[in-house]
Amino acid sequence: MKLTLFTWLLFFCCCLAFLIIAHANQINYLDKLINSRTSDNPPRPDTWPELETNNESSQVYIGPQDGLMEADKIDALPGQPEGVNFDQYSGYVTVDPTAGRALFYYFVESPQNSSSNPLVLWLNGGPGCSSLGYGAMEELGPFRVNSDGKTLYRNDFAWNNGNYLISQGLQLCAWQSCWTLLLSIGNALINDYDNRIGMLDYLWTHAMNSDETNMAIHKYCVPDFKSRQCFNAISQSGAESGRFDIYNIYAPLCHEDEINNSSTGSIHNFDPCTDIYVDAYLNLPEVQKAFHANLRKWYSCSGDMDGRVPVTSSKYSINSFKLPIETAWYPWYTNEEVGGYVVGYKGLVFATVRGAGHIVPSYQPERALTMIASFLQGKLPPTRFG
Ligand SMILES: *[C@@H]1O[C@H](CO)[C@@H](O)[C@H](O)[C@H]1NC(C)=O
Ligand SMILES: *[C@@H]1O[C@H](CO)[C@@H](O)[C@H](O)[C@H]1NC(C)=O
Ligand SMILES: *[C@@H]1O[C@H](CO)[C@@H](O)[C@H](O)[C@H]1NC(C)=O
Ligand SMILES: *[C@@H]1O[C@H](CO)[C@@H](O)[C@H](O)[C@H]1NC(C)=O
């Protein structure tokens, strides 16, 4: 069974605010993070720079807010199912009006208790892959696209479907308000060397590479991937593993010529051709209009999509942090079945979702929902049946 990982680092709950703050300070924080990773005496988080709370000296652009909410409210998405009982919003958040920069967002409320439930900001990686096309339409959003590329069906395990009480996290106060911040990273690429060697070991431990090739990799690709012999061993690894979906090694591939465009999708059985349906849907002018988006060709990724991050890679990286273990490894449960495994380190929780591919909620929607619900409540996932 393939395990993919979901790493919980800090804690995160509020969202647009987080995004704005991250923008203003991201270079500072990135520098600090890189320094803390490379120095022997990493700075403690409480010595990090103060967040900017004064409007005047802030570099953050906050434009007039009047009428934005009403303007961004979605009447209905084309082809959405009957009986939608929550509000949806989408549009642009201006980041820098002089440079003409804005971020597109899609926001879905909970059907109930929407003002007290935590706000989750979901960002896909890639880098450069769409959080709308992947996150919202293929993973955790309220709808999935049918194979006709025109209509939607309901995701019963959508993350806006729940009642969450936040109990703990990192308090952040700015602009006269306070938020509890929680941060969770799925399939985190932590360091490039560990990721590559972890990927190759993952193939070997899943009976997709020969012992000889794996031994050659460990002989020639240490401490880096630069030698000619290492290059040859990696080519051999590729030839041995064949053509398969690197994002979910046991998933079927998409056969475009076999698409039945009059069938309805199922949340329990992720369709390997989903990218095609989402691409068709998000490129319909009426859909772009309903989302209040500028009409243009929509692409799923604008960058290099080399984000394959297996559980072995994450373990190698986390092991290199040498963090003490606070909660020993245990299986967690959903529906009387193992949903995955979890181990709690000091300051970091490592959790896997059993049987999931890279896009975790697509393949294991119920297990993913159980995990995020525990996470939002500041708890480890359930230890027992039921
Ligand atoms: C920042 O500006 C907003 C709106 O312009 C105002 O309501 C708020 O009081 C200001 N905050 C501070 C800390 O000055
Ligand atoms: C809404 O919140 C209240 C108070 O926390 C709770 O009793 C109620 O069950 C919640 N409703 C739903 C649908 O979760
Ligand atoms: C559905 O499939 C039929 C037969 O292959 C084709 O003629 C039709 O154009 C397809 N419809 C869409 C919306 O792709
Ligand atoms: C396509 O799906 C529809 C609805 O599920 C079904 O009635 C039809 O037989 C399917 N067509 C093919 C060619 O599989």
Side-chain angles (χ1 to χ4, degrees):
M1 237 325 91
K2 173 170 176 173
L3 303 176
T4 45
L5 102 146
F6 208 90
T7 311
W8 305 357
L9 286 173
L10 284 168
F11 301 105
F12 167 69
C13 149
C14 182
C15 65
L16 274 181
F18 180 79
L19 189 66
I20 294 166
I21 293 161
H23 173 76
N25 294 284
Q26 85 187 359
I27 303 295
N28 270 351
Y29 280 137
L30 204 56
D31 281 352
K32 288 271 171 192
L33 182 68
I34 291 166
N35 288 341
S36 71
R37 290 286 312 282
T38 49
S39 104
D40 291 337
N41 297 309
R44 301 212 329 272
D46 58 6
T47 63
W48 288 15
E50 292 293 310
L51 286 172
E52 199 56 74
T53 55
N54 177 331
N55 287 357
E56 247 118 89
S57 61
S58 165
Q59 306 154 35
V60 176
Y61 170 79
I62 302 176
Q65 305 291 304
D66 295 342
L68 286 188
M69 185 172 158
E70 295 73 18
D72 281 1
K73 185 157 183 213
I74 295 174
D75 294 329
L77 291 178
Q80 78 178 25
E82 295 289 311
V84 170
N85 58 349
F86 50 83
D87 288 337
Q88 312 174 67
Y89 299 84
S90 63
Y92 293 94
V93 177
T94 305
V95 174
D96 184 341
T98 49
R101 290 209 188 94
L103 293 170
F104 180 81
Y105 79 93
Y106 170 48
F107 171 55
V108 179
E109 288 192 341
S110 323
Q112 272 156 326
N113 290 345
S114 62
S115 56
S116 56
N117 268 341
L119 201 52
V120 171
L121 169 68
W122 176 269
L123 298 171
N124 276 83
C129 288
S130 170
S131 309
L132 176 68
Y134 287 104
M137 306 307 285
E138 296 195 20
E139 299 185 74
L140 49 114
F143 308 120
R144 298 266 174 95
V145 183
N146 281 313
S147 58
D148 59 4
K150 291 175 183 155
T151 57
L152 304 175
Y153 64 99
R154 198 179 285 278
N155 173 6
D156 298 327
F157 304 104
W159 289 11
N160 68 322
N161 243 334
N163 191 46
Y164 309 103
L165 275 178
I166 304 249
S167 56
Q168 53 181 298
L170 188 76
Q171 284 291 316
L172 178 93
C173 298
W175 299 306
Q176 301 178 333
S177 305
C178 291
W179 299 278
T180 305
L181 300 181
L182 302 152
L183 172 67
S184 147
I185 305 180
N187 302 76
L189 199 160
I190 298 168
N191 105 31
D192 193 48
Y193 185 82
D194 285 344
N195 185 54
R196 293 186 69 181
I197 205 82
M199 241 175 75
L200 294 157
D201 283 349
Y202 188 80
L203 296 177
W204 177 58
T205 53
H206 287 73
M208 298 167 79
N209 269 182
S210 67
D211 294 355
E212 293 74 21
T213 296
N214 191 258
M215 276 192 279
I217 286 165
H218 281 274
K219 184 165 175 196
Y220 298 120
C221 303
V222 177
D224 57 44
F225 287 87
K226 290 189 182 131
S227 76
R228 181 84 218 159
Q229 292 100 315
C230 171
F231 178 85
N232 292 340
I234 303 244
S235 305
Q236 182 62 19
S237 157
E240 285 178 359
S241 55
R243 183 165 170 264
F244 68 100
D245 181 356
I246 187 74
Y247 296 99
N248 186 347
I249 60 169
Y250 299 134
L253 295 176
C254 169
H255 300 284
E256 272 189 67
D257 51 339
E258 289 167 18
I259 291 174
N260 178 355
N261 60 21
S262 57
S263 64
T264 309
S266 158
I267 197 69
H268 297 287
N269 192 6
F270 188 71
D271 185 326
C273 300
T274 299
D275 285 355
I276 295 174
Y277 317 149
V278 170
D279 193 272
Y281 185 76
L282 292 181
N283 276 302
L284 294 175
E286 63 268 31
V287 169
Q288 298 191 351
K289 216 179 266 172
F291 270 120
H292 312 120
N294 299 329
L295 298 189
R296 45 160 284 193
K297 170 88 181 107
W298 177 87
Y299 296 97
S300 56
C301 291
S302 61
D304 176 10
M305 196 165 153
D306 190 27
R308 308 158 294 176
V309 191
V311 70
T312 36
S313 303
S314 308
K315 287 170 105 181
Y316 294 164
S317 294
I318 290 173
N319 289 345
S320 74
F321 297 164
K322 299 198 186 343
L323 299 170
I325 291 175
E326 291 184 337
T327 307
W329 179 284
Y330 71 88
W332 62 268
Y333 286 86
T334 297
N335 261 344
E336 313 207 342
E337 283 193 85
V338 172
Y341 301 89
V342 63
V343 51
Y345 296 93
K346 191 171 176 11
L348 181 147
V349 172
F350 172 71
T352 69
V353 179
R354 192 162 72 100
H358 190 76
I359 42 176
V360 175
S362 306
Y363 295 102
Q364 292 295 344
E366 190 169 5
R367 290 173 186 170
L369 182 61
T370 302
M371 185 160 72
I372 200 71
S374 304
F375 167 69
L376 287 173
Q377 291 166 73
K379 294 194 270 195
L380 294 179
T383 47
R384 299 254 166 261
F385 282 12

